[in-house]
């Protein structure tokens, strides 16, 4: 198959354990873009947490894309235009906040152009989100009132057993009105209806006249399953969670062993 698009999760997939893109992988990603192929960085991170990696890969020069907030927003890197942008209904924010505040030790997060916004109390998982995105945390006492702008997602952060219980409570309250799932055992994504990486990739493919058969998707976590199932070739990292490996068509090397470089050499190198 002549694959024309490579979609990459970031943490645990594109970046190694030091949260870096190795030079061989970076060079290979730039080279396939020179050949006319597209690279999409698909992440639960806000766009401002993805931009530094996009810049390293020259996505702006080659007309590639960022899919941020787990697909709620798709940005064309050449000019920064959002070609898709889905936000949460404002009326759900106070309800989600009250549910989150009822669980011990949970923080509720959102984002603006420069900060991660902490709505309840900063915990170690809030700090991890800050580290991953290279964005500082702002503690917001009047969180619900402060979110008076379009919000792509909320993120609950807490101990895994608490996140499981909170997910059940939110799903019982909202049913199919929101898309609620865990991206990590300690992160609970609260997203607009239908939004996940696969749904938004379909929007992107339709807008540029490509099909899923032309696309490779690589990931390691819960929130990557939908796009791995949807892709022409779904790839799990060797370090991926079991459910991701069970879904994938191919298992590549780990993120600490240039697994993405291996995919490029095996499936995307011009012969």
């Amino acid at each position: 198959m002549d694959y024309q698009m490579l979609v990459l999760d970031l943490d645990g997939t594109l970046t190694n354990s030091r949260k870096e893109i190795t030079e061989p992988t970076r060079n290979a990603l730039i080279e396939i873009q020179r050949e006319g192929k597209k690279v999409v960085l698909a992440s639960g991170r806000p766009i401002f947490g993805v931009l530094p990696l996009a810049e390293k890969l020259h996505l702006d020069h080659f007309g590639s894309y960022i899919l941020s907030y787990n697909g709620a927003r798709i940005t064309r890197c050449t000019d920064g235009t959002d070609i898709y942008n889905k936000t949460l209904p404002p009326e759900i924010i106070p309800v989600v906040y009250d549910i989150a505040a009822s669980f011990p030790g949970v923080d509720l997060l959102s984002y603006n152009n420069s900060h991660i916004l902490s709505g309840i109390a900063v915990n170690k998982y809030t700090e991890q989100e800050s580290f991953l995105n290279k964005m500082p945390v702002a503690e917001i006492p009047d969180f619900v009132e402060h979110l008076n702008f379009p919000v792509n997602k909320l993120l609950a952060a807490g101990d895994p057993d608490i996140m499981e219980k909170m997910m059940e409570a939110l799903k019982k309250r909202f049913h199919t009105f929101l898309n609620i799932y865990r991206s990590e055992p300690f992160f609970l994504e609260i997203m607009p209806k239908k939004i996940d990486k696969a749904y938004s990739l379909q929007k992107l493919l339709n807008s540029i006249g490509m099909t899923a058969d032309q696309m490779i998707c690589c990931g390691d976590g819960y929130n990557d399953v939908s796009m791995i199932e949807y892709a022409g070739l779904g790839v799990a990292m060797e370090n991926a969670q079991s459910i991701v490996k069970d879904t994938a068509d191919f298992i590549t090397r780990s993120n600490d062993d240039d697994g993405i470089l291996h995919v490029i050499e095996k499936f995307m190198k011009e012969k």
Side-chain angles (χ1 to χ4, degrees):
M1 182 67 196
D2 184 20
Y3 296 109
Q4 293 296 312
M5 179 179 284
L6 180 60
V7 182
L8 303 171
D9 173 57
L10 302 186
D11 304 302
T13 300
L14 173 61
T15 62
N16 60 22
S17 296
R18 296 181 298 279
K19 304 303 177 187
E20 299 169 341
I21 307 173
T22 68
E23 199 62 17
T25 295
R26 176 181 177 271
N27 290 339
L29 288 166
I30 291 171
E31 183 59 31
I32 63 171
Q33 289 180 96
R34 284 199 186 105
E35 295 167 359
K37 298 174 174 65
K38 300 301 181 186
V39 171
V40 180
L41 301 185
S43 177
R45 295 186 189 186
I47 188 168
F48 302 97
V50 183
L51 280 173
L53 296 175
E55 290 168 0
K56 287 181 185 293
L57 299 174
H58 303 313
L59 299 196
D60 56 338
H61 180 74
F62 295 108
S64 288
Y65 299 88
I66 292 171
L67 189 155
S68 55
Y69 300 109
N70 279 318
R73 189 168 172 182
I74 304 170
T75 305
R76 185 171 58 224
C77 293
T78 46
D79 56 8
T81 298
D82 289 333
I83 61 175
Y84 183 71
N85 192 5
K86 184 75 171 176
T87 57
L88 288 164
E91 65 270 17
I92 69 94
I93 293 173
V95 183
V96 172
Y97 179 88
D98 288 345
I99 292 172
S102 72
F103 286 90
V106 170
D107 198 5
L108 187 65
L109 312 177
S110 193
Y111 312 84
N112 63 19
N113 289 354
S114 58
H115 287 76
I116 295 169
L117 309 178
S118 167
I120 301 175
V122 172
N123 59 31
K124 63 182 179 181
Y125 307 112
T126 310
E127 293 170 352
Q128 182 161 342
E129 178 73 351
S130 175
F131 172 76
L132 290 175
N133 288 283
K134 305 296 186 289
M135 293 173 69
V137 176
E139 297 184 64
I140 309 296
D142 53 345
F143 186 74
V144 172
E145 292 75 17
H146 185 83
L147 297 187
N148 58 1
F149 52 86
V151 174
N152 290 109
K153 83 165 186 175
L154 297 169
L155 180 73
D159 290 339
D161 57 332
I162 300 295
M163 289 296 92
E164 180 70 27
K165 293 173 183 175
M166 184 175 167
M167 182 170 67
E168 292 172 4
L170 286 171
K171 286 188 172 183
K172 183 177 180 180
R173 174 64 178 81
F174 291 107
H175 299 282
T176 59
F177 188 65
L178 299 175
N179 201 11
I180 299 162
Y181 51 89
R182 294 161 84 179
S183 54
E184 297 286 352
F186 42 82
F187 286 150
L188 184 61
E189 310 276 340
I190 298 130
M191 303 291 304
K193 184 178 181 180
K194 293 185 179 179
I195 293 298
D196 60 22
K197 292 182 180 182
Y199 182 84
S200 297
L201 284 169
Q202 184 181 39
K203 296 281 187 184
L204 174 59
L205 291 171
N206 290 344
S207 74
I208 61 177
M210 290 177 61
T211 67
D213 287 341
Q214 296 173 284
M215 179 175 67
I216 301 175
C217 292
C218 306
D220 73 304
Y222 297 116
N223 60 332
D224 300 318
V225 169
S226 68
M227 73 174 186
I228 287 172
E229 288 179 330
Y230 177 55
L233 181 70
V235 176
M237 309 303 290
E238 178 57 41
N239 52 286
Q241 296 161 15
S242 296
I243 188 173
V244 185
K245 291 182 178 180
D246 291 344
T247 301
D249 304 304
F250 179 75
I251 298 174
T252 189
R253 298 167 186 164
S254 79
N255 66 319
D256 284 327
D257 193 22
D258 281 319
I260 297 306
L261 178 61
H262 182 54
V263 171
I264 293 169
E265 290 176 339
K266 185 172 180 65
F267 298 106
M268 299 193 80
K269 274 284 184 74
E270 291 189 346
K271 308 299 184 188

